[in-house]
Amino acid sequence: MPAEVPGTPLPLPMRTQGAAHAFPVRQGIRQAHPEAKATAKALDEIRDKVDRANITGLLVASRDGLLLASDTQEIEDDSVAAMSAAAVGLATRFIGQAGLGEARGAMFQGSLGHVCVFPVQGSVLLVVFARPDTTMGLFNVVARQALTLLQDALNTAN
């Protein structure tokens, strides 16, 4: 190496013949979320057991916002999965700050219907959608029915 002279720029490093490429080592194909298969099967099992007169859709997401399974119409499932993780996180912080214990869900009411996000178990979230003419009381009952059915189906799958 030549001696460094103050104020003189150093020469740029040169690649020598046969030098290794700077590309990263191939990691292989990314696998789906470990809960995806079990939740899709569980959602299939409970689909016909919930009150479809009031429930318009079900979606299962991971706590990090990835879509695991869905039975919805005209909804951007991936975006809703991501927002469900944010909603549960916000609900957890809100409930904690209010001193109300552990968050059991986040429920929202809109002019075109209702949506609730429930932590199910482990890293799984359930999102339940309902019609606008469903009362909040009835929605709470049928949404919790869907939650219980999903929990049971996931427990039997494990």
Side-chain angles (χ1 to χ4, degrees):
M1 256 345 285
E4 214 177 295
V5 179
T8 306
L10 293 174
L12 294 174
M14 301 294 286
R15 184 187 298 183
T16 59
Q17 193 72 9
H21 292 286
F23 296 111
V25 177
R26 184 178 172 95
Q27 299 296 319
I29 297 172
R30 191 175 68 175
Q31 297 296 315
H33 194 280
E35 302 274 359
K37 189 173 182 179
T39 55
K41 183 177 184 237
L43 191 59
D44 282 340
E45 290 177 15
I46 71 167
R47 182 170 290 148
D48 296 325
K49 295 178 183 176
V50 295
D51 179 1
R52 296 306 265 189
N54 294 295
I55 299 293
T56 59
L58 299 167
L59 183 141
V60 183
S62 67
R63 280 203 185 247
D64 52 359
L66 299 174
L67 177 66
L68 301 179
S70 71
D71 179 22
T72 62
Q73 295 178 357
E74 300 177 12
I75 293 174
E76 293 180 29
D77 291 339
D78 289 319
S79 295
V80 170
M83 288 185 288
S84 69
V88 166
L90 181 59
T92 300
R93 295 282 311 244
F94 195 102
I95 295 295
Q97 286 294 324
L100 297 174
E102 188 175 321
R104 293 187 180 169
M107 191 175 291
F108 303 94
Q109 184 176 13
S111 61
L112 300 176
H114 316 289
V115 63
C116 189
V117 183
F118 294 105
V120 180
Q121 62 188 31
S123 64
V124 177
L125 304 174
L126 173 65
V127 183
V128 182
F129 300 91
R131 300 163 34 102
D133 58 346
T134 302
T135 65
M136 287 302 285
L138 180 57
F139 177 56
N140 193 31
V141 170
V142 295
R144 291 197 182 275
Q145 174 198 25
L147 174 63
T148 301
L149 289 168
L150 181 62
Q151 287 171 328
D152 292 346
L154 289 174
N155 285 335
T156 57
N158 293 333

